[in-house]
Amino acid sequence: MSSKIFTPTNQIRLTNVAVVRMKKAGKRFEIACYRNKVVSWREKLEKDIDEVLQTHTVFLNVSKGQVAKKEDLVTAFGHDDHAEICKKILAEGELQISDKERQVHLESLKKEIATIVADKCLNSDTKRPYPISIIEKAIKETGYSLKPNRNAKQQALEVIKLLKDVLPIQRAQMRIRVVTPSGGKLIKNRLSQISVTESEEYDDDKITAVGILNILGCFYVHLLLGCICNVF
């Protein structure tokens, strides 16, 4: 008589998985992701969620293949749409990694943050960029605790503020020409809050202004105000 292996219908077996976990309503919910894809998704480098999730299924325990019950999902999330709940857990849950993987990730994250800071800031005394190694050492001196589930750009902004207590540091600045397509008066008021204006020219509702602005300010002007920026 042949024997058969019985697998419960509410169990799914997966291998080589990165688990993202969220605790809600007294229960633990997990999703199964591909390794190295969670951070890429959170930093908006990966756009295809099918490249991130191994399955659009919510689990109580990924390693055991135990799928979450409908009533547990409704209690915790208000509905049982696995695809939508997966997105929420992917965005807000805690990525489960080994101690070795965590250490490697933190070292890489620290290097990336230090590189961003070095690119965007100068020594306020010499007006020259800092070496990345100096920035890394200074970050350690601030006591800043790296957050593995947040991207490097966000943390770099926080670090810059703290570094002012341990280093003579300032944002790198550049001279730009800003041309507004419309709404000149409104944009002029906003520009005056973030830049030092050297000259202005008006043509109806358009304005062409030359001024000194830091790098982050340039992104703000270009992306949020819809202006054309030329560096010179």
Side-chain angles (χ1 to χ4, degrees):
M1 180 177 178
S2 63
S3 61
K4 294 183 179 180
I5 297 175
F6 173 72
T7 301
T9 57
N10 71 329
Q11 290 190 358
I12 299 175
R13 296 295 185 180
L14 299 167
T15 59
N16 193 29
V17 178
V19 175
V20 180
R21 178 181 298 161
M22 174 181 284
K23 292 182 179 179
K24 198 171 180 68
K27 288 190 176 292
R28 183 181 70 185
F29 299 95
E30 299 179 344
I31 56 174
C33 304
Y34 292 104
R35 292 189 178 278
N36 304 320
K37 287 293 187 176
V38 175
V39 174
S40 296
W41 173 267
R42 289 175 172 176
E43 294 184 350
K44 303 187 186 305
L45 299 176
E46 177 59 66
K47 305 293 185 181
D48 186 354
I49 197 167
D50 290 327
E51 293 294 322
V52 183
L53 296 177
Q54 290 209 18
T55 173
H56 292 258
T57 303
V58 182
F59 297 83
L60 289 180
N61 189 307
V62 168
S63 64
K64 295 180 179 180
Q66 185 180 357
V67 178
K69 296 179 181 179
K70 176 179 179 179
E71 52 266 33
D72 290 336
L73 294 176
V74 172
T75 299
F77 298 97
H79 59 85
D80 66 337
D81 187 330
H82 279 250
E84 290 302 313
I85 295 172
C86 280
K87 290 180 182 179
K88 183 176 180 63
I89 296 175
L90 183 58
E92 302 176 13
E94 181 180 353
L95 176 61
Q96 306 299 301
I97 56 179
S98 68
D99 290 342
K100 183 177 180 180
E101 288 175 320
R102 181 180 296 275
Q103 187 60 36
V104 170
H105 175 62
L106 288 176
E107 286 297 322
S108 175
L109 181 61
K110 181 175 68 175
K111 177 73 72 175
E112 187 177 359
I113 292 172
T115 300
I116 293 172
V117 173
D119 286 342
K120 296 186 180 301
C121 296
L122 300 171
N123 182 319
S124 57
D125 293 336
T126 66
K127 308 303 180 185
R128 296 179 64 84
Y130 278 108
I132 294 175
S133 59
I134 297 297
I135 297 296
E136 286 183 302
K137 182 179 179 181
I139 291 174
K140 185 176 181 180
E141 291 179 10
T142 66
Y144 182 77
S145 178
L146 298 179
K147 303 170 181 64
N149 291 328
R150 294 184 59 197
N151 67 53
K153 291 181 180 179
Q154 292 175 329
Q155 296 190 69
L157 295 178
E158 297 174 356
V159 165
I160 290 173
K161 296 177 182 178
L162 297 176
L163 287 176
K164 293 179 180 179
D165 293 331
V166 298
L167 285 177
I169 193 170
Q170 69 179 48
R171 297 276 181 83
Q173 295 184 321
M174 59 184 71
R175 178 176 282 102
I176 66 167
R177 178 181 288 108
V178 179
V179 181
T180 69
S182 61
K185 292 182 179 179
L186 173 62
I187 293 177
K188 176 191 174 184
N189 292 334
R190 294 187 180 181
L191 279 175
S192 64
Q193 299 173 9
I194 61 174
S195 68
V196 178
T197 305
E198 296 179 347
S199 66
E200 295 176 347
E201 295 180 7
Y202 292 92
D203 181 11
D204 294 329
D205 196 30
K206 298 180 180 179
I207 180 175
T208 299
V210 174
I212 304 297
L213 200 61
N214 65 45
I215 293 174
L216 294 180
C218 290
F219 285 120
Y220 172 83
V221 169
H222 176 64
L223 296 176
L224 299 186
L225 301 186
C227 301
I228 301 172
C229 300
N230 297 313
V231 180
F232 67 100

